[in-house]
Amino acid sequence: MAARCRLAARFHRVHGANVLLDTSATRATRVRSFAHGLCFSQEPLAPGQPFLVEIEEKEPGWCGHLRVGLTALDPQSLDVVPEYSLPDLVNMGDTWVFAITRSHNRVAVDGEEAPARGPPQELFPLIERLRIPRDTLVGRSRPGRYSHILDDLYKTNVLPATARRSRIGVLYAPQPDGTADMHILINGEDMGPSARRLPTARPLYAVVDVFASTKSVRVIPVEYGFPSLQTLCRQVIQQHIVHRLAIDGLDLPLPLRSFCQHE
């Protein structure tokens, strides 16, 4: 099976009143206040397709952080985009949204306790029956003097979920009974089912609420299924260098150097 990737993943043109999208519709910035920052994926998600964003800017002084989830409501059908995802959009029905904090949003199976989390080490973590390259899911520092040190820190997943450069994703995994479980991904770690028994008969759009201290986010394209040749080449290159700064000295085309350094 070839790799599947929505390289054109971007935000919907319908969004909150305080949101400004860039020309590519892949970066959403809340330009004023702390609310009216609702965004949606441009298209409904396919089963197992992650919608991933990276926190680009923070705005101190506000209480609260990014909120993500899924909705069966077509953004195009909204007369007015609600001020908040929680509780406004959720109260409209067929919407599941969770606030991102330093703790996870995990739903235990009935009668069982949620298992303790450990550091995610797999290159292609298994989420339900889905394999996704972990390196894309993990927030990374931009190359700099201490990049080689930060890379080691990121391997242990110590970057707080609400920090700048953190990557937050959402997907749904179909279940045998015809429903789906919603999973939230934080820096490469699956938080487990955050909501269960979502209907799959209707299209499900990603919800991203650029709320309070989260000021700007950008969409990160994600491969799912088997990795592409480009991803495999990047992994080999990264395994044979001291740290990502050393990539600048390699005889590689500029786009490939950037791809290896930044994602």
Side-chain angles (χ1 to χ4, degrees):
M1 181 178 64
R4 294 171 289 175
C5 182
R6 294 294 181 91
L7 291 175
R10 50 176 55 94
F11 290 113
H12 202 285
R13 66 182 185 86
V14 174
H15 52 70
N18 289 339
V19 170
L20 177 66
L21 299 182
D22 68 355
T23 55
S24 67
T26 59
R27 190 173 193 265
T29 303
R30 194 187 68 253
V31 295
R32 65 181 68 86
S33 184
F34 62 92
H36 287 292
L38 260 175
C39 299
F40 306 91
S41 58
Q42 178 176 290
E43 299 177 352
L45 302 186
Q49 177 193 352
F51 191 83
L52 184 72
V53 298
E54 180 175 288
I55 299 175
E56 290 242 307
E57 291 184 53
K58 304 279 293 182
E59 186 172 26
W62 301 114
C63 182
H65 305 279
L66 185 72
R67 298 167 172 182
V68 299
L70 296 168
T71 183
L73 303 175
D74 185 346
Q76 196 68 42
S77 68
L78 298 176
D79 294 329
V80 178
V81 177
E83 184 175 4
Y84 305 102
S85 58
L86 288 170
D88 300 1
L89 186 66
V90 171
N91 287 343
M92 295 175 67
D94 293 327
T95 301
W96 304 264
V97 175
F98 289 84
I100 301 301
T101 65
R102 287 175 179 265
S103 61
H104 59 71
N105 302 290
R106 193 178 183 104
V107 178
V109 178
D110 294 342
E112 298 181 3
E113 294 185 359
R117 295 182 298 160
Q121 301 297 334
E122 287 187 287
L123 290 178
F124 302 94
L126 181 64
I127 302 172
E128 299 281 353
R129 293 176 294 276
L130 309 168
R131 289 282 183 186
I132 302 171
R134 179 176 174 267
D135 64 326
T136 303
L137 303 177
V138 179
R140 294 281 181 179
S141 66
R142 291 295 181 258
R145 176 178 296 180
Y146 302 108
S147 292
H148 59 296
I149 300 175
L150 292 174
D151 280 350
D152 289 336
L153 293 176
Y154 281 120
K155 289 176 184 177
T156 63
N157 199 27
V158 298
L159 187 66
T162 56
R164 188 168 174 263
R165 301 301 181 201
S166 275
R167 292 187 175 184
I168 312 296
V170 62
L171 60 81
Y172 70 92
Q175 301 301 304
D177 64 358
T179 64
D181 290 349
M182 181 176 79
H183 288 249
I184 291 175
L185 313 173
I186 299 179
N187 287 322
E189 186 174 6
D190 175 21
M191 299 294 103
S194 297
R196 296 185 183 275
R197 302 178 182 87
L198 277 64
T200 56
R202 296 170 58 188
L204 294 172
Y205 293 81
V207 177
V208 177
D209 193 351
V210 187
F211 177 70
S213 65
T214 303
K215 182 176 179 63
S216 180
V217 298
R218 69 182 176 102
V219 178
I220 304 296
V222 180
E223 294 174 347
Y224 57 109
F226 288 110
S228 68
L229 180 59
Q230 186 181 38
T231 296
L232 293 173
C233 289
R234 176 178 61 190
Q235 291 171 355
V236 171
I237 291 171
Q238 291 175 342
Q239 289 170 0
H240 289 81
I241 59 173
V242 177
H243 55 80
R244 283 181 292 127
L245 267 183
I247 293 176
D248 281 331
L250 299 179
D251 186 17
L252 297 173
L254 181 59
L256 182 56
R257 290 206 303 268
S258 178
F259 177 72
C260 292
Q261 288 175 327
H262 292 171
E263 298 298 341

